[in-house]
Amino acid sequence: MSTTRTQVAIVGAGPAGLLLSHLLDRAGIDSVLLENRSPDYVLGRIRAGVLESSSVDLLSEVGLGERIAREGDEHRGIYLQWTAEGQGERHHLDFVDHVGRSVWVYGQTEVTKDLMAARERAGQQSHYEVRDVELHDVAGDRPAVTFTDRDGTHQRLEADAVAGCDGFHGPSRAGIPADVRRTWERVYPYAWLGVLAEVAPSTDELIYAWHPDGFALHSMRSRTVSRLYLQVPPDEDVAQWPDDRVWEALATRLGHGQDGWTLQDGPIVEKSVLPMRSFVSTPMRHGRLFLAGDAAHIVPPTGAKGLNLAIADVTLLARALTAWLVEGSSTLVDSYSEDALRRVWRCTHFSWWMTSMLHTLPPGQGDAFDQQLQLSQLRWVTSSQAGAAGLAENYAGLPIGF
Ligand code: APR
Ligand code: PHB
């Protein structure tokens, strides 16, 4: 087995791991990145597409804003709509008017591409397609990660700290002993069917639609590519949804019967079912192991928070590790878990709230009373300054240090 040393061993090359390595590099801290998939696989995953203004500010501050400014699309707000008793209403909620902040539509795949290029430029070491990743002695002073590299060589990587950025299914979370760890979970009784379509968006801003048949969302990736979602039963088989059925359901749920608005359809190039869950695991630090991103928490996609939370976590973590490894102060590593969790729980609540407001409950789990409460909530956030400002503040994002 060959043994090497670095300052921070990072497990997982999703947005959390890649951005952490970039932030550490700028602070003069060495890291090694371990990822079990290939770069092409990581770049091929279709993920979220909305960046909060604080995420864009952060990425711009660290030299990654150029392509976002050129190819991303700034959005002032969203549309919220509902159809009740056959009558549709669509309302624009302007974040800039309410809280002075906007959001950017820029795919997570593009963020990942920019981050991979930055890491290559920095000449920091990455191992893709590794196997058998195991964490050792994270509670002690000399933690290590062992793995088998792409060529089949067993390696031991010793570090001052280990960052678990390996997503919900990665091994890092289990590095926190069961008697210390606490988890909170909510599994929702519905899922999303997501499609990527080669058609210009039929809207200038995202549309979140409540409909008696179930929720629908019209999002986008570019001027020529749309991303659309439909609420479906959990564990729905995509085979139940041929393209014609998808377009018909989208047209019904997104149509609001006014201004002659129609949904343009086009070739569907990807279709998949996404489970919906909220999950938080605490603490986010144990000894010299630090968790960030989906390794520690999952939010349902309704509030577009997953990627932004991962960015916020690693921003706090990079600051904490820099203060510790460069300046010798452990104050921020000691408060990392508490600092990160404040924002995690805020986003967990917001995502749960948006999800609960917009999805119809299956028979037996909800009734006409629940629907009236949802509609009342939608009317309130689209007609009251205070209601709209609360949604806008959370959607456009609170400052990283919140
Ligand atoms: N060894 C090494 N890498 C691993 C292992 C392992 N055993 N298990 C998982 N990984 C890798 C995954 O292949 C993935 O590339 O860890 C990475 C985790 O990345 P993400 O799942 O993208 O998680 P994160 O970086 O925290 O980003 C969160 O991504 O999943 C979306 O909606 C989520 O937008 C949010 C964001
Ligand atoms: C997306 O574009 O994939 C997207 C946008 C907004 C959401 C969820 C997903 O709330």
Side-chain angles (χ1 to χ4, degrees):
M1 178 173 312
S2 75
T3 299
T4 48
R5 219 197 128 66
T6 187
Q7 287 176 289
V8 182
I10 303 175
V11 185
L18 283 164
L19 179 57
L20 179 64
S21 78
H22 181 70
L23 298 176
L24 293 175
D25 179 65
R26 287 175 59 89
I29 296 171
D30 280 337
S31 63
V32 173
L33 200 56
L34 305 175
E35 164 63 50
N36 63 349
R37 303 290 193 167
S38 67
D40 282 349
Y41 182 93
V42 170
L43 287 173
R45 290 189 293 223
I46 296 173
R47 293 281 181 85
V50 178
L51 290 173
E52 295 174 1
S53 56
S54 57
S55 298
V56 175
D57 291 347
L58 181 272
L59 293 169
S60 304
E61 274 162 33
V62 298
L64 296 165
E66 191 237 332
R67 211 157 68 88
I68 301 177
R70 192 156 32 91
E71 295 173 29
D73 205 7
E74 187 171 14
H75 286 219
R76 286 182 69 98
I78 54 169
Y79 293 104
L80 278 172
Q81 83 171 50
W82 58 90
T83 302
E85 312 290 339
Q87 278 290 104
E89 278 186 48
R90 182 179 292 172
H91 297 266
H92 187 246
L93 204 152
D94 194 303
F95 305 152
V96 180
D97 282 352
H98 286 289
V99 294
R101 291 199 297 281
S102 58
V103 295
W104 286 73
V105 168
Y106 188 70
Q108 177 168 328
T109 311
E110 304 310 314
V111 175
T112 309
K113 217 182 272 174
D114 297 344
L115 286 165
M116 278 184 177
R119 189 168 171 88
E120 221 156 273
R121 278 198 301 276
Q124 296 274 356
Q125 234 188 308
S126 308
H127 293 272
Y128 282 87
E129 295 172 84
V130 302
R131 285 178 288 123
D132 315 322
V133 169
E134 278 183 46
L135 277 53
H136 306 273
D137 308 322
V138 294
D141 287 340
R142 294 174 60 88
V145 183
T146 53
F147 62 98
T148 307
D149 70 18
R150 191 173 28 195
D151 303 324
T153 307
H154 298 298
Q155 298 213 27
R156 180 180 172 85
L157 177 62
E158 296 181 347
D160 295 319
V162 176
C165 301
D166 45 1
F168 185 63
H169 299 288
S172 294
R173 192 168 58 252
I176 300 184
D179 58 344
V180 181
R181 191 148 47 94
R182 251 189 106 176
T183 58
W184 287 264
E185 188 164 23
R186 172 70 41 96
V187 177
Y188 299 89
Y190 33 75
W192 277 12
L193 176 80
V195 299
L196 195 68
E198 283 173 350
V199 59
S202 303
T203 177
D204 54 343
E205 299 202 324
L206 274 64
I207 306 170
Y208 287 80
W210 185 98
H211 191 279
D213 293 354
F215 170 71
L217 170 62
H218 189 333
S219 181
M220 58 202 76
R221 286 291 175 276
S222 68
R223 299 231 154 89
T224 54
V225 177
S226 297
R227 178 80 170 141
L228 301 122
Y229 299 95
L230 284 168
Q231 177 185 346
V232 293
D235 305 319
E236 181 79 323
D237 181 0
V238 273
Q240 298 297 312
W241 288 89
D243 295 2
D244 285 355
R245 183 178 176 205
V246 170
W247 286 117
E248 209 177 296
L250 285 167
T252 302
R253 298 187 198 183
L254 290 168
H256 63 312
Q258 284 163 34
D259 314 325
W261 185 87
T262 51
L263 178 69
Q264 292 304 310
D265 60 19
I268 290 179
V269 291
E270 198 268 348
K271 199 188 286 173
S272 53
V273 173
L274 290 73
M276 307 270 285
R277 77 165 78 222
S278 296
F279 172 86
V280 181
S281 176
T282 67
M284 287 173 65
R285 177 229 181 160
H286 180 70
R288 289 175 179 246
L289 169 63
F290 300 84
L291 301 182
D294 278 14
H297 42 73
I298 296 281
V299 287
T302 325
K305 288 290 157 221
L307 171 59
N308 294 292
L309 257 188
I311 291 174
D313 282 356
V314 296
T315 303
L316 292 176
L317 182 53
R319 275 180 207 161
L321 290 173
T322 304
W324 186 39
L325 298 173
V326 178
E327 294 144 29
S329 162
S330 62
T331 314
L332 291 178
V333 287
D334 289 342
S335 66
Y336 167 69
S337 180
E338 202 183 311
D339 294 343
L341 283 166
R342 220 180 355 260
R343 187 190 187 86
V344 167
W345 277 114
R346 176 85 307 278
C347 292
T348 299
H349 174 268
F350 176 66
S351 306
W352 164 85
W353 176 74
M354 283 282 279
T355 301
S356 311
M357 175 170 70
L358 288 161
H359 292 74
T360 51
L361 285 161
Q365 299 198 44
D367 56 18
F369 179 78
D370 293 281
Q371 297 200 352
Q372 290 304 326
L373 295 183
Q374 291 177 318
L375 293 170
S376 169
Q377 185 78 353
L378 281 163
R379 285 190 191 100
W380 180 62
V381 293
T382 50
S383 61
S384 142
Q385 284 283 345
L391 192 153
E393 181 173 50
N394 281 281
Y395 196 110
L398 291 145
I400 297 256
F402 163 80

